[in-house]
Amino acid sequence: MSITIYAGAQLDGCKIKDFPWPTDCIVMVVYRGEEKIIPNGQTKLQAGDTLILRANSATTRQVYHEISRAAHYAQG
């Protein structure tokens, strides 16, 4: 699944290691403009990044909703 990070969202400016990712979810690739990044825990996410995520098929819908909230809305 793919999710794009919006400016001011919880994931904007967050390092991958600092976000509580759902169980059985992994960030496979980060697209930043034309750049393809293979992320690690130190990768700092930015507004405009598109994340390619992999999740257990049984929990894909739940994972999508959790990450969408963090990618689209500011933490509050």
Side-chain angles (χ1 to χ4, degrees):
M1 74 185 91
S2 70
I3 295 177
T4 300
I5 299 173
Y6 288 42
Q10 183 181 357
L11 285 174
D12 183 14
C14 182
K15 286 185 180 178
I16 287 181
K17 71 179 182 91
D18 295 332
F19 184 77
W21 299 96
T23 303
D24 296 329
C25 174
I26 187 168
V27 181
M28 305 288 291
V29 178
V30 176
Y31 287 102
R32 184 170 293 153
E34 298 294 319
E35 186 179 6
K36 179 180 179 180
I37 300 166
I38 305 301
N40 61 47
Q42 295 299 318
T43 303
K44 190 172 184 179
L45 301 172
Q46 300 176 6
D49 286 354
T50 297
L51 311 180
I52 305 300
L53 306 170
R54 175 103 187 202
N56 180 323
S57 62
T59 60
T60 299
R61 180 177 288 179
Q62 178 184 352
V63 167
Y64 181 81
H65 289 298
E66 283 184 48
I67 303 304
S68 287
R69 283 193 301 271
H72 297 172
Y73 306 104
Q75 184 175 3

